[in-house]
Amino acid sequence: MIALLTRDLALAIRAGGGFGLGLAFFLIVVVLVPFGVGPESAILSAIAPGILWVGALLACLLSLDRIFALDFEDGSLDLLATAPIPLEGVVAMKAAAHWVTTGLPLTLAAPGLGLLLNLDPAAYGWLVLSLGLGTPALSMIGTFGAALTVGLKRGGLLLSLLVLPLYVPTLIFGAETVGRGAAGLATATPVLMLAGITLAALALLPFAAAAAIRINLR
Amino acid sequence: MSLWEYANPQKFMRTSGALLPFVWIATAACLGVGLVWGFFLTPEAENFGSTVKIIYLHVPAAMMAINAWVMMLVTSLIWLIRRHHVSALASRAAAPIGLTMTVIALVTGAIWGEPMWGTYWAWDPRLTSFLILFLFYLGYIALWEAIENPDAAADLTSVLCIVGSVFALLSRYAVNFWNQGLHQGATLSLDKEENIANVYWLPLLICLAGFVLLFVALVLVRTRTEIRARRIKALVTRERMA
């Protein structure tokens, strides 16, 4: 399983695997927002938590269809399905690789982009914490969506239609954490809910995703 | 005599064909009586004027929008566990009806909201959850349409339906947490005292029954269409092979 993780990481980082793409997309979204809503710092700091979370979510979405597509095309997914490690483990490792290449960089880059949007100083810690807690759920849910659509020729658009509604609870609690942090309110409830969603997604969705892959490989 | 006999498409077609006219008649009777009574024969409510009458479309549609998804969840589980094709097809048949009910609930709510709340749309928890439910229906239907192999499509949409149910429920409560509501609380309930005067309650109950029957009739018709479409496909394939 470790070997699979390092293989996926190496594939993503080398040879145009789209490693920096999500990050660049996140940056562009955040840069575009002030052009759209105007440069007043009061407005920007009010919407910063939401923009940062929505931007991170869309950046995550961007690389989802790559999770299984290449392995499905060249047949390595069949080999992985018949490998001695359970398919659920394969799925979990795929999600972990996706998180390391998108969720983690997004979390680390978010404070810098928060600066651009004039985020309240009190919220930086909560921003990093909420993204760190929430992005694993985004990767895992996205992996499930990718598993559902792996057999389709043009699954990319369908994938976003399937996955975005599933992202709603994570987004609500994530943005709420940062918003409450910025306003100086108690953040324990949304943080705990966010952690709960992530843990539940990590515990249950590998089974659903593996079932979807088995169906698609039939 | 067990319920599973209807997993046989032949048997299902025969029974549903015999049953369908009666369901249609009952639907027409309930909806006719309920809507006419509700629209024309109830007094105008204090503070609400005649706008209160939209309740006879809004509440039943909203109820069926949720119940259609529950039915899809049950039929999806039956398909995954017992592999009855009729069950998968019924689930496919129910999705567009549920979608339509969601749209009716949203649109009638908007029409009612404009004079009452002064806005067509507010990011109220109930409204927002319905919008999310609408998106779930769209995704489910799109997945059915996208996959060519019928068995794989049934399997994958069933998995999506189960996972989606969990997330839809989660969204419902997450949205509650996210914003305070404008929408009034439940009008009808099974365990508490009714929140509505008897003059409005009776026609509403008849309308609810009418919508349930309408849903059953539509699901039966659409399932029968799906079964026939499958048969045609099988016949065409056999013809080509011969």
Side-chain angles (χ1 to χ4, degrees), chain A residues 28-113:
Chain A
I28 289 173
V29 168
V30 169
V31 169
L32 284 180
V33 167
F35 295 138
V37 301
E40 291 88 354
S41 51
I43 297 178
L44 285 180
S45 73
I47 60 170
I51 298 296
L52 288 167
W53 253 94
V54 171
L57 190 145
L58 293 176
C60 258
L61 196 68
L62 208 61
S63 48
L64 284 182
D65 56 342
R66 305 182 67 97
I67 295 180
F68 294 117
L70 298 174
D71 283 351
F72 181 72
E73 275 162 24
D74 67 7
S76 9
L77 199 57
D78 293 282
L79 290 179
L80 287 173
T82 50
I85 59 170
L87 194 53
E88 285 79 4
V90 173
V91 168
M93 283 303 113
K94 288 277 185 190
H98 180 264
W99 182 72
V100 173
T101 52
T102 39
L104 191 59
L106 288 177
T107 308
L108 297 177
L113 298 177

Side-chain angles (χ1 to χ4, degrees), chain B residues 217-230:
Chain B
L218 288 173
V219 168
L220 286 179
V221 167
R222 289 183 56 88
T223 311
R224 286 164 63 81
T225 315
E226 296 281 350
I227 291 173
R228 288 201 175 114
R230 281 248 174 127

